[in-house]
Amino acid sequence: MPILKTSNVLTAMIAKLRVSDGALFYALRAAGSGCAATFPKAGGPVFTLFQRDDCQLCDQALAVLAQARVSGLDSVFIDDDAALEARYGLRVPVLRDAQGRELDWPFDVAAVQVWISGQA
């Protein structure tokens, strides 16, 4: 697959991707005026990745979350939402859990796993 410049292009090109044997699987979908990635919830915590369109760091964060096998993940683009833009601005990508805890970029697989377990 060619290297893509924008998340919207990536979202449009990958309609559904499934990694078998219990690994992370997700479907990318259009959401209103922007696009978002929805990772099916398999019970357990729900996570939200706040990101921007055309953001290489955000794409890297998604790759780290896939490697960490994070399930129950929603991806929200902040570009067209004034409230989210004001809250997250240049902080993106930011991972938030259902309890409201946030993990700012940069993070790696180990950091995500520690954060998820509640030790961070």
Side-chain angles (χ1 to χ4, degrees):
M1 177 178 285
I3 296 174
L4 304 172
K5 291 186 176 185
T6 69
S7 296
N8 279 341
V9 173
L10 177 62
T11 301
M13 290 186 69
I14 304 174
K16 292 184 180 180
L17 173 65
R18 181 174 180 169
V19 181
S20 60
D21 300 324
L24 176 70
F25 70 96
Y26 57 94
L28 298 174
R29 62 173 167 80
S33 62
C35 296
T38 299
F39 294 74
K41 294 154 188 60
V46 173
F47 303 98
T48 303
L49 181 68
F50 293 95
Q51 65 183 60
R52 290 185 178 280
D53 191 27
D54 197 19
C55 170
Q56 291 180 354
L57 296 178
C58 301
D59 294 339
Q60 290 174 19
L62 283 170
V64 167
L65 296 172
Q67 290 173 346
R69 297 181 185 234
V70 173
S71 62
L73 179 68
D74 288 331
S75 182
V76 175
F77 289 82
I78 69 166
D79 299 297
D80 294 327
D81 186 314
L84 292 177
E85 177 72 36
R87 180 171 181 175
Y88 293 104
L90 298 175
R91 290 177 51 205
V92 295
V94 175
L95 182 63
R96 186 174 72 189
D97 68 7
Q99 291 77 38
R101 294 182 316 136
E102 294 182 344
L103 179 63
D104 288 6
W105 183 260
F107 48 78
D108 59 14
V109 172
V112 169
Q113 291 170 337
V114 167
W115 183 78
I116 288 173
S117 70
Q119 298 174 4

Short mmCIF file of all heavy atoms in Angstrom, two decimals, residues 97 101-104 107 110-120:
data_model
loop_
_atom_site.label_atom_id
_atom_site.label_comp_id
_atom_site.label_asym_id
_atom_site.label_seq_id
_atom_site.Cartn_x
_atom_site.Cartn_y
_atom_site.Cartn_z
N ASP A 97 -9.13 7.42 28.55
CA ASP A 97 -9.90 6.23 28.91
C ASP A 97 -11.29 6.64 29.41
O ASP A 97 -11.61 7.82 29.50
CB ASP A 97 -9.15 5.36 29.93
CG ASP A 97 -9.01 5.99 31.31
OD1 ASP A 97 -9.60 7.07 31.58
OD2 ASP A 97 -8.30 5.40 32.14
N ARG A 101 -8.91 9.66 32.34
CA ARG A 101 -7.45 9.79 32.39
C ARG A 101 -6.94 9.98 30.96
O ARG A 101 -7.49 9.40 30.03
CB ARG A 101 -6.80 8.52 32.97
CG ARG A 101 -7.10 8.27 34.41
CD ARG A 101 -6.37 7.02 34.95
NE ARG A 101 -6.44 5.90 34.01
CZ ARG A 101 -5.41 5.11 33.70
NH1 ARG A 101 -4.24 5.29 34.26
NH2 ARG A 101 -5.56 4.11 32.86
N GLU A 102 -5.89 10.77 30.82
CA GLU A 102 -5.34 11.04 29.49
C GLU A 102 -3.86 10.71 29.44
O GLU A 102 -3.13 10.94 30.40
CB GLU A 102 -5.58 12.49 29.10
CG GLU A 102 -7.05 12.82 28.94
CD GLU A 102 -7.33 14.23 28.52
OE1 GLU A 102 -6.44 15.09 28.62
OE2 GLU A 102 -8.47 14.48 28.07
N LEU A 103 -3.45 10.18 28.30
CA LEU A 103 -2.05 9.87 28.03
C LEU A 103 -1.65 10.65 26.79
O LEU A 103 -2.18 10.42 25.71
CB LEU A 103 -1.87 8.37 27.80
CG LEU A 103 -0.46 7.88 27.49
CD1 LEU A 103 0.48 8.15 28.67
CD2 LEU A 103 -0.47 6.40 27.15
N ASP A 104 -0.74 11.61 26.98
CA ASP A 104 -0.28 12.44 25.87
C ASP A 104 0.84 11.73 25.11
O ASP A 104 1.61 10.96 25.68
CB ASP A 104 0.24 13.78 26.38
CG ASP A 104 -0.88 14.70 26.86
OD1 ASP A 104 -2.04 14.27 26.91
OD2 ASP A 104 -0.57 15.86 27.19
N PHE A 107 4.11 8.09 23.32
CA PHE A 107 4.00 6.87 24.11
C PHE A 107 4.37 5.69 23.23
O PHE A 107 4.29 5.76 22.02
CB PHE A 107 2.62 6.69 24.74
CG PHE A 107 1.45 6.89 23.80
CD1 PHE A 107 1.06 5.91 22.89
CD2 PHE A 107 0.73 8.07 23.83
CE1 PHE A 107 -0.02 6.10 22.05
CE2 PHE A 107 -0.37 8.28 22.99
CZ PHE A 107 -0.74 7.28 22.10
N ALA A 110 4.91 -0.29 25.65
CA ALA A 110 5.08 -0.53 27.09
C ALA A 110 4.37 0.54 27.91
O ALA A 110 3.69 0.22 28.90
CB ALA A 110 6.56 -0.60 27.44
N ALA A 111 4.51 1.79 27.52
CA ALA A 111 3.86 2.88 28.26
C ALA A 111 2.34 2.75 28.21
O ALA A 111 1.66 2.99 29.21
CB ALA A 111 4.30 4.22 27.70
N VAL A 112 1.81 2.38 27.05
CA VAL A 112 0.35 2.19 26.92
C VAL A 112 -0.12 1.06 27.81
O VAL A 112 -1.12 1.19 28.52
CB VAL A 112 -0.05 1.92 25.44
CG1 VAL A 112 -1.49 1.47 25.33
CG2 VAL A 112 0.20 3.16 24.60
N GLN A 113 0.60 -0.05 27.83
CA GLN A 113 0.20 -1.18 28.65
C GLN A 113 0.24 -0.85 30.14
O GLN A 113 -0.66 -1.23 30.89
CB GLN A 113 1.05 -2.40 28.31
CG GLN A 113 0.75 -2.93 26.93
CD GLN A 113 1.72 -3.99 26.45
OE1 GLN A 113 2.85 -4.08 26.91
NE2 GLN A 113 1.27 -4.78 25.48
N VAL A 114 1.26 -0.12 30.58
CA VAL A 114 1.35 0.30 31.98
C VAL A 114 0.20 1.26 32.30
O VAL A 114 -0.46 1.15 33.34
CB VAL A 114 2.72 0.96 32.28
CG1 VAL A 114 2.71 1.67 33.62
CG2 VAL A 114 3.82 -0.09 32.23
N TRP A 115 -0.05 2.21 31.40
CA TRP A 115 -1.13 3.19 31.61
C TRP A 115 -2.49 2.50 31.68
O TRP A 115 -3.30 2.82 32.55
CB TRP A 115 -1.08 4.22 30.48
CG TRP A 115 -2.09 5.32 30.61
CD1 TRP A 115 -2.04 6.40 31.42
CD2 TRP A 115 -3.32 5.43 29.87
NE1 TRP A 115 -3.15 7.18 31.23
CE2 TRP A 115 -3.95 6.61 30.29
CE3 TRP A 115 -3.93 4.65 28.90
CZ2 TRP A 115 -5.16 7.04 29.76
CZ3 TRP A 115 -5.14 5.06 28.37
CH2 TRP A 115 -5.74 6.24 28.81
N ILE A 116 -2.73 1.55 30.80
CA ILE A 116 -4.00 0.82 30.79
C ILE A 116 -4.19 0.05 32.09
O ILE A 116 -5.28 -0.01 32.64
CB ILE A 116 -4.11 -0.10 29.57
CG1 ILE A 116 -4.34 0.74 28.31
CG2 ILE A 116 -5.24 -1.13 29.73
CD1 ILE A 116 -4.30 -0.05 27.02
N SER A 117 -3.11 -0.54 32.57
CA SER A 117 -3.22 -1.33 33.80
C SER A 117 -3.45 -0.47 35.04
O SER A 117 -3.70 -0.99 36.12
CB SER A 117 -1.96 -2.19 33.99
OG SER A 117 -0.85 -1.37 34.32
N GLY A 118 -3.35 0.87 34.87
CA GLY A 118 -3.64 1.78 35.96
C GLY A 118 -2.45 2.10 36.84
O GLY A 118 -2.59 2.74 37.87
N GLN A 119 -1.28 1.68 36.45
CA GLN A 119 -0.09 1.90 37.25
C GLN A 119 0.59 3.21 36.92
O GLN A 119 1.56 3.59 37.56
CB GLN A 119 0.89 0.75 37.07
CG GLN A 119 0.33 -0.57 37.53
CD GLN A 119 1.26 -1.73 37.21
OE1 GLN A 119 2.36 -1.54 36.72
NE2 GLN A 119 0.78 -2.94 37.47
N ALA A 120 0.13 3.89 35.89
CA ALA A 120 0.78 5.14 35.50
C ALA A 120 -0.04 6.32 35.96
O ALA A 120 -1.20 6.25 36.17
CB ALA A 120 0.97 5.20 33.99
#
